[in-house]
Amino acid sequence: MNKFKYSSILAVVCAIVLDSSPAFALRTVFEAYVETDSSKVEISGREAGAQFGASLASGDFNHDGVDDLVVGAPFSSTGLREWNGAVYIIYGDSELKERDIDLANLEPDFSYYGHHSGDQFGSTVEVGDYNGDGYDDIAIGAYNAYESRERIGKVYIMYGQDVSSRQNRDFSIGEPDLLISGHSDGDGFGLALSTLDINNDNVDDLLVGAPFASSPEVDRSGVVYAFYGQKEAMSTPVYSLKEKLADVTFYGQVEGERFGSKIAGGDLIGNGLTDFAVSAYASGEEQEGRVYIYRGLDRFLRSVRKPTNVIEGLSSKGWFGFDLDVGDINGDGVDDLAVGSFPYKGARYEAHASVFFGGARFNHKGAVIKNEKGSYNIVVKDPIQEALPGGRVMMEDMNGDGKEDLILGAPGIGSPLSSQAGDVYVLYSHNGELRESYSIEHEEISSVIHGEKADDWFGFAIEALDFNADGKADLAVGSRYADRGNGINSGKVHILLGQDRPHGISKTLNDSEDRVVTRGEFIKKVIEDFDIREKKSDFIESCNQFREFCFFNFSTVSTFDGMQLEGDLQLYPDVNPGDEFYEEINVATMLGLTNGFTGIKNTPFRPDEKISRMQALKVILAANELVKPMHKFELGDNVEGQPSYFEDISAKIDHMWWYPRYINFAVNEGIVKDGKYFRPDVGIALGELEMLIKGTLLTLERNAKIQS
């Protein structure tokens, strides 16, 4: 991991200051939007479908003392080869004159290209000094690499050397310095890479995961291979697992658990040796997931069948262990373990990241640790809609105080498409003053950085580096599915340059005991408090008589196969006759006030999910015909030029193009008070909703008097 040194230290970012009343506390948080962040460097992929930014790493490859960025584009195509993959190196620069780097118009500083179609070269990238010469080397995974009619997977290693002797490499006509090829077809060899020194000889070793490989006893359990670094380059440029064993082989325990999906290591026990953790995120009868811990030894046996201990996930399809990182977040000199739980196929509201402090617990052979309260030391939970915080976890010192912070990538994951770009969350360690639980929904993390466009998967790859050599930690974030014009999924990387303060605007918040309102109870309250049934009785009666016509527009955006318009209405898979909010949700849908989640299979309504402050305002104003809904094209060319009363609302941000129309009306009418920030995308609390409703009723009463 990179370490950063600089003197400018933000003393307090998210301090908790208790008020005399136990009902609330004051907190300062930071919120940034990458679209409008002035510090960013934007690097755009050149090719449609290449998924530039799928993997990231950093090192100093031209030996100028400035960190360079490595970017994988595993679905890049070269010549007649399709999806052979590419890896690019973009050199850092202390002057950094260019902030908008478009690789369609500007060549990267260095490029590597995969050998065969379908290799997906660049799915993973890793940096280390594997030959002990003091120069950064690069390892590139091509887990689907082809050889002799099999997809055995390969890892390409290029040793660091003087930049003047380097040339772009196409591995269909050239060779790497070292090529390591996998054992069997479909093993996924190279899907995970990690640089560690597990034999404690002060030379970096390379650990390679093959999560679909078989052990001698268990089919498709997964395998991790360790290859020891050497002071001099290996005598042979090709290392085949079909012909030669790895230096150490670690085997999975359970069929299909995907052991070796992620690997991370450090001194978890505090004895000066390198311990490490291996993910098996699909382990368990319901894919709860496990993380296996291996205690560091002076020398491992050639074959390792059992881990020292295990951490078990608890949620069905929770994919505990989807990502891992090791670092010292509590500043006690012993490394800690961060684990991402990424329920891509499970209950997404359970996505979270856990931190387990290092120490004696990782030294008890055979011990089983549960990922539950009392076992983890920190949990960051309560995701916002489709931004899932277990996708990436990283521990780095981002504010220069000498203590590592927790950074979480939360890509927006929908089915098939996401309505959110994704976020990155930062939790500063603050001299070890850490709580056990942090809620993203309640804005309890230190800083949030929002992605650019919906379904970009912003945050699925993250990397810390010093790209402009100013001594401050920069944050590179990949958006592998970002588009450019007609270039669908070309990919993009944003580098947020380090500053003397976190990115974005600072917001001082009151912690309230008031609960957040759900979508179901919100709709019920709007229908009842504004007497919508009575006011719209004629329309509702007509709609019930001609349902196919009434719900025509709704049915065109819904993917729910079980929709029923005759008899008892069934508009959503999760809103059934007899449910608490059944009638109110149907009425609101008739009136066009609400829809389901269109980016999710079967377009559910999700009545138990929270509703944001801006969505609540929009529905209330539309229900009372105070602001006419409009499509984006109806606003003409001045969409981005709409003014705003609030610093955290800007029409220049992609998903906010419609926000100013509603919020400006509400401020002008006195429904919402003018202020520095509105917090548009956080859940609305019951007391806040009551104030919105009261203000709207006063506006309706005032308008009625004027008209009379």
Side-chain angles (χ1 to χ4, degrees):
M1 292 183 295
N2 294 316
K3 305 297 176 186
F4 304 95
K5 300 177 181 178
Y6 62 97
S7 58
S8 298
I9 299 174
L10 183 68
V12 177
V13 175
C14 191
I16 305 299
V17 183
L18 295 179
D19 186 77
S20 57
S21 167
F24 69 91
L26 296 179
R27 293 182 292 109
T28 300
V29 301
F30 289 80
E31 184 173 31
Y33 291 87
V34 74
E35 263 180 297
T36 56
D37 194 289
S38 60
S39 77
K40 70 178 177 183
V41 176
E42 186 172 281
I43 309 172
S44 301
R46 64 171 66 168
E47 177 190 350
Q51 297 183 33
F52 175 85
S55 58
L56 299 173
S58 62
D60 181 9
F61 303 103
N62 59 348
H63 319 308
D64 63 351
V66 183
D67 285 342
D68 310 314
L69 182 67
V70 186
V71 185
F75 288 91
S76 177
S77 300
T78 308
L80 298 178
R81 285 167 285 167
E82 185 177 24
W83 297 356
N84 58 307
V87 169
Y88 306 103
I89 297 177
I90 295 95
Y91 291 152
D93 187 347
S94 58
E95 296 184 4
L96 208 60
K97 296 177 181 177
E98 186 62 55
R99 291 293 191 95
D100 189 356
I101 302 171
D102 188 341
L103 297 187
N105 305 316
L106 182 67
E107 284 293 320
D109 294 292
F110 205 86
S111 305
Y112 299 108
Y113 302 100
H115 189 171
H116 294 285
S117 290
D119 279 1
Q120 296 183 45
F121 172 87
S123 295
T124 48
V125 288
E126 180 73 348
V127 173
D129 182 8
Y130 308 117
N131 60 353
D133 64 355
Y135 293 115
D136 284 333
D137 311 320
I138 182 170
I140 303 170
Y143 80 93
N144 205 42
Y146 176 84
E147 184 177 287
S148 302
R149 299 183 180 181
E150 291 184 323
R151 295 287 181 180
I152 60 173
K154 297 179 181 179
V155 175
Y156 295 75
I157 295 178
M158 297 297 295
Y159 294 129
Q161 53 186 307
D162 186 78
V163 68
S164 62
S165 66
R166 308 194 101 183
Q167 297 176 357
N168 292 344
R169 293 287 184 93
D170 187 332
F171 292 119
S172 67
I173 55 177
E175 299 294 334
D177 294 317
L178 175 63
L179 177 64
I180 308 175
S181 57
H183 185 274
S184 300
D185 185 44
D187 281 358
F189 178 79
L191 261 175
L193 302 174
S194 182
T195 299
L196 299 170
D197 180 14
I198 66 168
N199 63 344
N200 301 289
D201 65 351
N202 297 317
V203 180
D204 286 339
D205 310 317
L206 180 65
L207 276 67
V208 182
F212 303 106
S214 298
S215 72
E217 293 86 13
V218 185
D219 187 47
R220 294 293 185 185
S221 59
V223 176
V224 169
Y225 302 95
F227 303 92
Y228 290 153
Q230 300 182 14
K231 283 290 186 181
E232 295 182 1
M234 292 184 182
S235 58
T236 173
V238 178
Y239 192 119
S240 173
L241 289 175
K242 288 182 178 291
E243 302 172 358
K244 183 179 179 181
L245 294 174
D247 292 298
V248 188
T249 303
F250 301 86
Y251 293 105
Q253 309 297 303
V254 180
E255 182 177 353
E257 69 177 351
R258 301 182 190 176
F259 174 86
S261 297
K262 290 291 177 181
I263 309 160
D267 187 2
L268 290 168
I269 297 172
N271 60 2
L273 298 176
T274 301
D275 317 302
F276 62 95
V278 178
S279 162
Y281 70 83
S283 190
E285 292 184 4
E286 298 186 6
Q287 296 189 1
E288 298 91 344
R290 291 189 177 101
V291 175
Y292 296 103
I293 310 296
Y294 294 84
R295 182 178 57 195
L297 299 174
D298 290 325
R299 186 172 185 82
F300 282 97
L301 297 175
R302 200 69 184 258
S303 175
V304 179
R305 308 289 176 137
K306 298 295 182 182
T308 306
N309 46 36
V310 182
I311 310 177
E312 293 185 343
L314 300 176
S315 301
S316 175
K317 298 179 181 178
W319 286 9
F320 175 77
F322 188 82
D323 199 26
L324 306 171
D325 198 19
V326 170
D328 184 9
I329 195 171
N330 63 347
D332 65 352
V334 180
D335 283 333
D336 311 310
L337 176 65
V339 183
S341 184
F342 190 70
Y344 178 72
K345 294 184 177 180
R348 303 203 174 179
Y349 62 84
E350 292 187 346
H352 65 277
S354 308
V355 178
F356 300 84
F357 291 164
R361 70 161 129 190
F362 291 132
N363 199 27
H364 297 307
K365 192 169 184 178
V368 176
I369 303 169
K370 303 287 188 181
N371 180 41
E372 60 187 355
K373 188 176 178 65
S375 293
Y376 56 70
N377 298 96
I378 301 171
V379 65
V380 181
K381 59 182 183 177
D382 299 337
I384 299 175
Q385 296 179 9
E386 296 172 352
L388 307 186
R392 287 293 175 262
V393 295
M394 182 173 71
M395 287 188 282
E396 287 283 359
D397 180 9
M398 300 303 295
N399 62 350
D401 64 356
K403 295 178 175 59
E404 293 183 345
D405 310 304
L406 181 65
I407 304 97
L408 305 179
I413 305 291
S415 176
L417 300 175
S418 174
S419 62
Q420 291 180 283
D423 298 328
V424 170
Y425 308 116
V426 183
L427 178 64
Y428 292 99
S429 56
H430 301 304
N431 299 314
E433 296 174 7
L434 292 162
R435 306 206 315 263
E436 182 183 81
S437 180
Y438 295 86
S439 170
I440 294 169
E441 182 178 57
H442 297 140
E443 296 187 285
E444 292 176 352
I445 37 83
S446 308
S447 180
V448 56
I449 303 165
H450 300 292
E452 191 171 18
K453 308 284 186 183
D455 205 45
D456 277 359
W457 281 36
F458 177 83
F460 197 71
I462 54 178
E463 176 71 7
L465 73 166
D466 187 2
F467 194 65
N468 60 346
D470 64 353
K472 301 175 185 178
D474 308 322
L475 181 65
V477 185
S479 298
R480 66 185 300 169
Y481 291 117
D483 304 330
R484 51 167 305 133
N486 294 327
I488 304 299
N489 298 340
S490 56
K492 184 181 289 187
V493 175
H494 291 98
I495 303 176
L496 297 168
L497 300 177
Q499 304 177 114
D500 290 337
R501 62 193 294 277
H503 295 274
I505 62 171
S506 63
K507 305 191 296 185
T508 301
L509 307 179
N510 285 340
D511 265 344
S512 172
E513 293 179 351
D514 205 2
R515 63 179 180 81
V516 174
V517 178
T518 66
R519 285 166 55 84
E521 62 183 334
F522 166 76
I523 290 298
K524 179 179 177 67
K525 191 164 182 59
V526 168
I527 296 296
E528 292 181 349
D529 286 14
F530 292 107
D531 198 17
I532 297 297
R533 283 194 187 89
E534 179 63 26
K535 291 179 180 178
K536 300 291 184 180
S537 58
D538 290 344
F539 181 89
I540 293 171
E541 182 179 352
S542 176
C543 187
N544 276 315
Q545 292 177 359
F546 305 99
R547 287 181 176 177
E548 287 191 8
F549 176 78
C550 180
F551 290 105
F552 176 77
N553 288 335
F554 172 77
S555 63
T556 61
V557 298
S558 174
T559 60
F560 179 36
D561 294 334
M563 186 183 300
Q564 180 176 312
L565 299 181
E566 295 183 2
D568 290 333
L569 278 172
Q570 183 81 52
L571 302 178
Y572 305 97
D574 52 354
V575 180
N576 303 297
D579 288 353
E580 182 179 3
F581 307 115
Y582 171 77
E583 292 186 8
E584 290 81 8
I585 291 172
N586 286 344
V587 168
T589 305
M590 284 182 185
L591 297 172
L593 300 178
T594 188
N595 278 315
F597 287 85
T598 55
I600 299 174
K601 184 179 179 180
N602 277 330
T603 320
F605 185 81
R606 294 185 171 176
D608 295 329
E609 191 164 300
K610 63 126 179 149
I611 185 165
S612 73
R613 290 163 57 84
M614 182 55 71
Q615 287 286 351
L617 178 63
K618 179 183 180 182
V619 172
I620 288 172
L621 296 182
N624 291 284
E625 299 180 357
L626 291 172
V627 177
K628 177 185 175 183
M630 296 177 69
H631 295 287
K632 190 173 185 178
F633 71 86
E634 294 179 278
L635 296 177
D637 298 331
N638 196 36
V639 174
E640 295 187 357
Q642 298 175 86
S644 173
Y645 285 102
F646 299 94
E647 291 185 18
D648 56 356
I649 294 178
S650 171
K652 294 180 181 180
I653 297 168
D654 186 56
H655 75 281
M656 291 189 181
W657 67 268
W658 56 271
Y659 285 18
R661 294 188 62 245
Y662 290 88
I663 195 66
N664 292 349
F665 176 88
V667 171
N668 292 334
E669 293 294 324
I671 297 171
V672 171
K673 291 183 179 180
D674 188 6
K676 191 173 183 180
Y677 53 87
F678 182 69
R679 302 163 62 212
D681 297 321
V682 302
I684 190 166
L686 181 59
E688 295 170 332
L689 177 58
E690 295 280 7
M691 291 177 64
L692 278 186
I693 291 174
K694 182 179 179 180
T696 304
L697 288 170
L698 290 173
T699 297
L700 292 171
E701 182 180 343
R702 184 170 61 250
N703 290 348
K705 289 181 178 179
I706 293 173
Q707 292 174 2
S708 63

